[in-house]
Protein backbone atom coordinates (compact mmCIF):
# COMPACT_ATOMS: atom_id res chain seq x y z
CA UNK A 1 0.00 0.00 0.00
CA UNK A 2 1.35 3.40 -1.03
CA UNK A 3 0.14 6.70 0.38
CA UNK A 4 0.82 9.99 -1.38
CA UNK A 5 0.02 13.66 -1.02
CA UNK A 6 -1.18 15.01 -4.35
CA UNK A 7 -3.03 17.86 -5.98
CA UNK A 8 -5.11 17.52 -9.13
CA UNK A 9 -3.73 19.31 -12.20
CA UNK A 10 -3.71 22.09 -13.29
CA UNK A 11 -4.08 23.36 -9.75
CA UNK A 12 -5.70 22.13 -6.59
CA UNK A 13 -5.20 21.81 -2.89
CA UNK A 14 -2.85 19.06 -1.68
CA UNK A 15 -4.68 16.06 -0.24
CA UNK A 16 -3.85 12.50 0.76
CA UNK A 17 -4.29 9.69 -1.69
CA UNK A 18 -3.88 5.95 -2.00
CA UNK A 19 -2.06 4.58 -5.05
CA UNK A 20 -3.86 1.59 -6.55
CA UNK A 21 -2.62 -0.47 -9.45
CA UNK A 22 0.59 1.63 -9.57
CA UNK A 23 -1.04 4.15 -11.92
CA UNK A 24 -4.25 5.36 -10.24
CA UNK A 25 -4.91 7.40 -7.10
CA UNK A 26 -7.89 7.21 -4.79
CA UNK A 27 -8.75 10.56 -3.19
CA UNK A 28 -8.96 9.47 0.46
CA UNK A 29 -11.04 12.37 1.86
CA UNK A 30 -13.46 12.14 -1.08
CA UNK A 31 -13.99 8.41 -0.56
CA UNK A 32 -13.96 8.17 3.24
CA UNK A 33 -15.45 11.57 4.06
CA UNK A 34 -13.36 14.62 4.84
CA UNK A 35 -12.60 14.95 8.55
CA UNK A 36 -9.63 15.31 10.90
CA UNK A 37 -8.68 11.65 10.33
CA UNK A 38 -8.81 11.68 6.53
CA UNK A 39 -7.98 15.18 5.28
CA UNK A 40 -4.39 15.69 6.49
CA UNK A 41 -1.80 12.95 6.05
CA UNK A 42 -0.86 13.28 9.71
CA UNK A 43 -4.50 12.59 10.61
CA UNK A 44 -4.32 9.34 8.66
CA UNK A 45 -1.12 8.34 10.46
CA UNK A 46 -2.54 9.26 13.88
CA UNK A 47 -5.77 7.33 13.25
CA UNK A 48 -3.71 4.13 13.48
CA UNK A 49 -5.09 0.63 12.99
CA UNK A 50 -8.66 1.73 12.37
CA UNK A 51 -7.59 3.88 9.43
CA UNK A 52 -5.23 1.19 8.20
CA UNK A 53 -8.15 -1.24 7.97
CA UNK A 54 -10.22 1.32 6.04
CA UNK A 55 -7.34 1.94 3.62
CA UNK A 56 -6.82 -1.79 3.07
CA UNK A 57 -10.49 -2.06 2.09
CA UNK A 58 -10.03 0.78 -0.41
CA UNK A 59 -6.91 -0.93 -1.77
CA UNK A 60 -8.76 -4.25 -2.22
CA UNK A 61 -11.84 -2.67 -3.81
CA UNK A 62 -10.92 0.70 -5.32
CA UNK A 63 -13.82 2.95 -6.28
CA UNK A 64 -14.65 3.56 -9.91
CA UNK A 65 -13.64 7.20 -9.57
CA UNK A 66 -9.86 7.33 -9.37
CA UNK A 67 -7.34 9.76 -10.80
CA UNK A 68 -4.56 8.87 -13.23
CA UNK A 69 -1.12 9.38 -11.76
CA UNK A 70 -0.30 11.45 -14.86
CA UNK A 71 -3.14 13.88 -13.99
CA UNK A 72 -1.85 14.90 -10.57
CA UNK A 73 1.13 16.63 -9.01
CA UNK A 74 2.86 14.69 -6.23
CA UNK A 75 4.08 16.48 -3.11
CA UNK A 76 6.14 15.47 -0.08
CA UNK A 77 4.17 12.69 1.64
CA UNK A 78 3.89 14.61 4.92
CA UNK A 79 3.81 18.34 4.18
Amino acid sequence: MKLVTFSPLPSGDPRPGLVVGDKRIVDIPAELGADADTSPMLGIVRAGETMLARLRNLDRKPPATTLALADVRLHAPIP
Side-chain angles (χ1 to χ4, degrees), residues 5-50:
T5 297
F6 74 97
S7 55
L9 292 176
S11 63
D13 293 327
R15 49 199 307 111
L18 174 68
V19 178
V20 292
D22 291 330
K23 295 185 182 182
R24 307 292 299 176
I25 295 178
V26 176
D27 184 331
I28 294 171
E31 289 302 316
L32 299 181
D35 61 25
D37 288 343
T38 61
S39 291
M41 186 62 79
L42 283 177
I44 290 171
V45 173
R46 288 181 184 130
E49 289 296 321
T50 303

